[in-house]
Amino acid sequence: MPNWGGGNKCTACRGTVYHAEEVQCDGKSFHKCCFLCMVCRKGLDSTTLAIHDQEIYCKSCYGKKYGPKGYGYGQGAGTLNMDRGERLGIKPEQAQTHRPTSNSNPSKFAQKFGGSEKCARCGDSVYAAEKIMGAGKPWHKNCFRCAKCGKSLESTTQTEKDGEIYCKGEMELNVLQ
């Protein structure tokens, strides 16, 4: 006798799965909307699925959690991000603290590409591709902001007083006050 009104139980939510909404994987039933990666919650299909110990993952999260680690095991452009896998339960290695050198003789690389100059706001090296000159000093594009209001500046909208840069509007307000 047929089972009217019933169906298998969804492995993810334990609700009844009817035939029209059923996805089967590894002998288990899922609702289409429950067939998601355990980490990033993206929808899965037969081409993006990876299984590990009864858990389902997209190939990207599976590779990050269980794949090989170290130099040379990158996966395309995804390796350019700063994701160290904390949300996957991977404990990051302790990063060594940066200790700036007091070497006054910059390298040939720094001489050629402009890394020997220091940003007037943050003190880090300013390279040619990101350098803006203002008040006779080099600045990063992100640091080239009004010291009072924080607005991003351009060479035509900035003015200088006592070695600091301001928007022309801020300086006019200060002069009037």
Side-chain angles (χ1 to χ4, degrees):
M1 181 168 235
N3 183 6
W4 301 103
N8 296 326
K9 297 292 180 187
C10 175
T11 304
C13 74
R14 299 286 175 220
T16 301
V17 181
Y18 297 99
H19 185 70
E21 61 184 355
E22 183 176 32
V23 176
Q24 288 193 344
C25 172
D26 205 27
K28 296 176 180 68
S29 295
F30 294 87
H31 292 106
K32 285 180 185 175
C33 62
C34 293
F35 197 56
L36 305 171
C37 173
M38 301 286 290
V39 177
C40 68
R41 310 299 295 164
K42 287 182 185 171
L44 300 172
D45 61 36
S46 62
T47 62
T48 60
L49 175 71
I51 303 170
H52 188 269
D53 292 336
Q54 311 294 321
E55 295 178 335
I56 56 175
Y57 299 93
C58 66
K59 289 185 177 179
S60 177
C61 290
Y62 178 87
K64 287 178 187 173
K65 189 164 185 173
Y66 299 109
K69 307 285 186 279
Y71 181 77
Y73 290 105
Q75 297 174 355
T79 60
L80 300 176
N81 66 29
M82 297 300 291
D83 180 10
R84 293 182 293 183
E86 287 97 350
R87 63 190 173 107
L88 302 175
I90 299 169
K91 292 189 171 129
E93 297 175 13
Q94 277 300 88
Q96 300 231 346
T97 56
H98 175 70
R99 293 188 196 125
T101 63
S102 58
N103 185 358
S104 61
N105 183 15
S107 68
K108 289 190 186 244
F109 178 84
Q111 289 171 356
K112 184 174 182 180
F113 295 106
S116 62
E117 293 183 287
K118 301 294 182 190
C119 175
R121 170 103 354 108
C122 71
D124 289 340
S125 292
V126 180
Y127 296 95
E130 59 183 351
K131 181 168 85 172
I132 296 178
M133 292 299 290
K137 300 175 192 168
W139 304 78
H140 292 109
K141 287 180 183 176
N142 288 340
C143 295
F144 198 65
R145 299 180 171 277
C146 176
K148 186 159 183 146
C149 71
K151 283 186 195 171
S152 186
L153 298 173
E154 295 177 14
S155 61
T156 58
T157 61
Q158 68 95 22
T159 187
E160 176 258 331
K161 182 178 180 188
D162 299 329
E164 191 54 80
I165 56 174
Y166 300 92
C167 13
K168 287 184 177 177
E170 285 293 330
M171 285 304 292
E172 289 169 4
L173 286 174
N174 286 339
V175 169
L176 294 174
Q177 292 176 350

